[in-house]
Amino acid sequence: MQSINMELAQYSELFMLIAGFIYTGAFMLFAVDMIRSSATIRRVEAELAAENAAERTLVSYGAPADNPGTGEPEAAPAEELVDEEMAYLGTRRPFANVAVALTVLGVAAHTFAVAARGIAANRVPWANMYEFLTTSALVVAAVYLLVLTRKDVRFLGTFALGLVVTMMAAATMGFPTPVAHVQPALQSPWIAIHVSLAVLAISLFTLTFAMNVLQLIQHRRELSQAAGETTRRSGWQFLRLAPSATSLENWAYRMNAVGFVFWTLGPLITGAIWAEETWGRYWGWDVKEVWTFVIWVVYAGYLHARATRGWTGNRAAWLSIIGYGCIIFNYAVVNIYFPGLHSYAGLPE
Amino acid sequence: MAEKRENTYMPAGHRDAPEAAENDPRTAGGKPEVATPALGVKGMLRWAWTQLTSMRTALMLLLLLAVAAVPGSIFPQRVQDSFAVATWIEDNPGAGEVLDFLQFFDVYSSIWFSAIYLLLFISLIGCILPRAKKHWQQITSAPPRTPRRLERLPESGALELQSSSAGDAQDGPDAETALQDAAAILKARRYRVEVRETSVGAERGYLKETGNLLFHISLVGVLICVALGSMFSYRGQKILVEDESFVNALVAYDNFYPGAYFNEDQMQPFSVSLDAFERVFDRESTTHFGQALDFTADVTTRLGADGEPQTEELKVNQPLTMDGARVFLVGNGYAPEVTVRDGDGEVAFSGPVITRPDDGVYTSMAVIKAPDASPEQLGFVGLFLPTSQDAGDGLAVSVDPELGNPELQLNSYYGDLGLDDGLAQNVYVLDTESLETLNSRELDAGGIVLSPGETYDLPEGMGSISFDGVKDYIAIDIHYNPAQQGVLIFALTALGGLVLSLFLRRRRAWVTVETTPAGRTLVRYGLLSRGEDFKIRDENIALRTQFEKKWPVRAPEKES
Ligand code: HEM
């Protein structure tokens, strides 16, 4: 077995810290942008007022200008500043923009850190809790950036980066683990497929969790607005820069669907294949397997809820949030407190 | 037929009526109407069946299944560790018995867990059958009839084509030709198209529903294969010491768990013998020094009674497949070879002793029983340390998993070992309560400490014990599950169906043509998606772009 490159391993740890600090900066700037959202809103409103009403409808619906006749989009209510498509409005949001730039920088440092760890150990960099968490955080940040290139999801920045920072902090402070080779049971090509799919699924679920929480808050605001409440709680102003609860729900659904497919193929199917190869049985109701199943069923319930009358909207959002709660539980509590075959969290005794 | 559906909560995508509102998740949250059950047994049954197969029941049962699975992760389960269950019940008198009665230690075979998933699958089948029938009808019949007012659909548009007879610059097609063009465009966009008198009806994405059905049917397949597997499978465990061999027959197993319909004649006749075993530990890392890196068992296998012997490697992630049965390397340890002589000088025990490693440095529990010894039966309990080192207070500990300084540290006992009454006993446990202690740290005689090649004479002329050498042993699991492949195949078809169902879009499109009083051709079109569809607007734009490329379209006049 090739020896571990200790120098590279140290660089990996250093860059992991650097990435964590950059993300923290990005998180704070996103938060400042959120707090200053009333200024942004005033600017958007001023710009909107400057344009003529017909044009406004077009812009906000993102339809080509030479394409008028497709149905009759009802004019957006004055309250709504962003639309279903989450297109960029062209309003300057300097704090958020710097935050995005910092996130890019953070992802670069983070990518190096994760890759260096893998190269140092000559294996995939996700074989213990520390590595799993740092890799997941990287994917969350990267997916978030990827979505940013197409949709204006800056409103999600505080939430997404907050989760990324939490994951980085939990990894480096809660489960610091030096680079090492892995035990024989983990030396299988399946670790690359099985765990990476789990990481992808969890990263998507992390983002939808943020969106579903926002959806619930947004829904409350919409309700009180519909009830004619005029008291403007300035703290919630930023919600006017976030899409409606309905479109948040739709977007969360689309990402949850992808996450569900990953979860089905990753933890569930390839997990069973690998378990058969190592332990001789594809399913044995080991604690980790139980929770993988529970999570799968909860998200299946979520998908059903979306198709069940009276269960769309808030209730579906709650199911998605509960599903994410189960994921956290499966990761943090099961790994640490429940004995099972999957006890290779890599934690010191 | 359609009227009876009122109280089934079909998902948005399964309602036939082209009402926009029903396809809009925002408006689908209305209060469901409660069905009034018709009187009479038949009516009641029908009502119960309708309820069971409704989306809402399926959802409830799914959530219930998730909740019901949780206790299995909180309480020890017999399927995994019956010993832990026994300990738990012993430690919690009262609660233990109650929970045992309620099957909390056998959650996944309990009545309540089974009831939930069986109900769920009955509901599932009751759901699949009518949907499959309906889907079949739709696949084999023409796209639905053209709605009267296309502009009411969620996405629609209208184009007025130029006509030279009306004084326009270009001459567009007449209504008939435009209809054919529209049909061709829709066909190219992979719609199934039916041209009618003055309209075209089109639909695409039938595979979405096919995928959904495939997914749900595959789940039934998975369940059936799991059930078949548990009936016809067997699994067992065997500990194999270096130079020993194992023949796949009932008597050879240490533990054996047959399925309900297991038949001994089905056991594949094969044998495995252990030639050598090699362990590799981390010798470089400062933080993980001594961590296991690789285990390799060199084995000789033989298929059938007179098969050719084959030398193979058995590793942790690399099972052997022998005629459908699989052999897995699940554990390993050291087996010190020991000879015990009794007070009469006769050999009372001789051979390798399986020790149970307890930690990463292979500090191993050793138990030796010599019931044939006379005048008294002899027993030994203690530790085997691969690399023994004095911890400072006279107590030795193992500091390395490899054989650096192997040592046996034993207490000895004499008396009735309790093996004669025929009760099954755990070979790894010696109940010393009713025995007299010969050697222990607390006694003057002290404990027994042996290195390979050494012999120790027991006090009171009870005999002697010698440590002759160390062998390796491996623990293997043997599994045979004929339905396992089936589970995998159905799991994969389920996945395929899931992908089709989640990511394909089912859409309907209609185009109508008419001739305006001015003599121009007016084309109207409308789109309707069934189920979630976030791209229907893009489809509208794409379709319109294609129409505009095909025909000379009049610039729209300001509509009144
Ligand atoms: C064994 C339990 C079940 C599981 C694990 C399960 C899982 C799922 C999943 C993951 C989906 C979303 C993916 C897709 O559209 O194919 C789905 C959709 C669906 N399921 Fe199930 N299901 C189960 C039982 C049922 C039952 C009993 C019914 C009938 C009452 C049912 C009816 C449906 C329908 C109609 C959809 C389509 C929803 C839509 O249009 O989005 N399922 N199911």
Side-chain angles (χ1 to χ4, degrees), chain B residues 83-152:
Chain B
F83 184 69
V85 174
T87 317
W88 203 97
I89 296 177
E90 224 165 79
D91 293 349
N92 300 274
E97 275 95 53
V98 173
L99 288 178
D100 195 19
F101 178 74
L102 295 175
Q103 299 179 304
F104 272 73
F105 304 112
D106 304 287
V107 167
Y108 307 104
S109 51
S110 68
I111 296 177
W112 41 275
F113 191 78
S114 313
I116 295 172
Y117 74 74
L118 286 179
L119 271 179
L120 184 58
F121 275 88
I122 293 171
S123 165
L124 181 56
I125 292 164
C127 197
I128 291 173
L129 292 179
R131 270 174 56 203
K133 189 170 154 223
K134 192 161 161 235
H135 187 48
W136 178 251
Q137 284 166 355
Q138 286 183 348
I139 286 181
T140 50
S141 58
R145 57 174 191 78
T146 315
R148 223 167 302 146
R149 306 190 57 183
L150 292 182
E151 64 275 17
R152 278 193 166 184

Side-chain angles (χ1 to χ4, degrees), chain B residues 154-171:
Chain B
E155 288 294 332
S156 64
L159 309 114
E160 201 176 0
L161 308 189
Q162 299 190 19
S163 162
S164 46
S165 61
D168 296 328
Q170 278 172 287
D171 195 21

Side-chain angles (χ1 to χ4, degrees), chain B residues 40-244:
Chain B
V41 177
K42 227 174 142 188
M44 284 295 280
L45 281 178
R46 168 163 297 193
W47 179 79
W49 178 249
T50 314
Q51 291 302 310
L52 183 63
T53 55
S54 76
M55 263 317 252
R56 170 159 306 195
T57 311
L59 176 57
M60 286 304 156
L61 287 171
L62 266 175
L63 297 182
L64 209 57
L65 188 68
V67 173
V70 172
S73 71
I74 298 171
F75 302 106
Q77 297 295 300
R78 285 209 173 83
V79 278
Q80 278 147 5
D81 194 348
S82 53
F83 184 69
V85 174
T87 317
W88 203 97
I89 296 177
E90 224 165 79
D91 293 349
N92 300 274
E97 275 95 53
V98 173
L99 288 178
D100 195 19
F101 178 74
L102 295 175
Q103 299 179 304
F104 272 73
F105 304 112
D106 304 287
V107 167
Y108 307 104
S109 51
S110 68
I111 296 177
W112 41 275
F113 191 78
S114 313
I116 295 172
Y117 74 74
L118 286 179
L119 271 179
L120 184 58
F121 275 88
I122 293 171
S123 165
L124 181 56
I125 292 164
C127 197
I128 291 173
L129 292 179
R131 270 174 56 203
K133 189 170 154 223
K134 192 161 161 235
H135 187 48
W136 178 251
Q137 284 166 355
Q138 286 183 348
I139 286 181
T140 50
S141 58
R145 57 174 191 78
T146 315
R148 223 167 302 146
R149 306 190 57 183
L150 292 182
E151 64 275 17
R152 278 193 166 184
L153 295 174
E155 288 294 332
S156 64
L159 309 114
E160 201 176 0
L161 308 189
Q162 299 190 19
S163 162
S164 46
S165 61
D168 296 328
Q170 278 172 287
D171 195 21
D174 62 8
E176 181 58 30
T177 321
L179 202 61
Q180 295 300 338
D181 289 346
I185 287 174
L186 283 169
K187 212 172 247 164
R189 293 188 70 77
R190 322 228 289 132
Y191 280 83
R192 176 189 306 166
V193 174
E194 189 191 51
V195 182
R196 296 155 190 168
E197 243 168 76
T198 58
S199 72
V200 174
E203 181 158 5
R204 60 171 288 180
Y206 292 90
L207 255 178
K208 181 185 179 70
E209 178 71 357
T210 310
N212 189 302
L213 288 170
L214 177 67
F215 170 77
H216 285 90
I217 291 168
S218 300
L219 289 186
V220 179
V222 167
L223 186 75
I224 289 174
C225 287
V226 168
L228 284 177
S230 74
M231 282 184 226
F232 294 102
S233 67
Y234 67 79
R235 68 193 171 90
Q237 289 152 350
K238 173 69 184 170
I239 279 180
L240 206 53
V241 182
E242 231 176 306
D243 304 328
E244 277 184 4

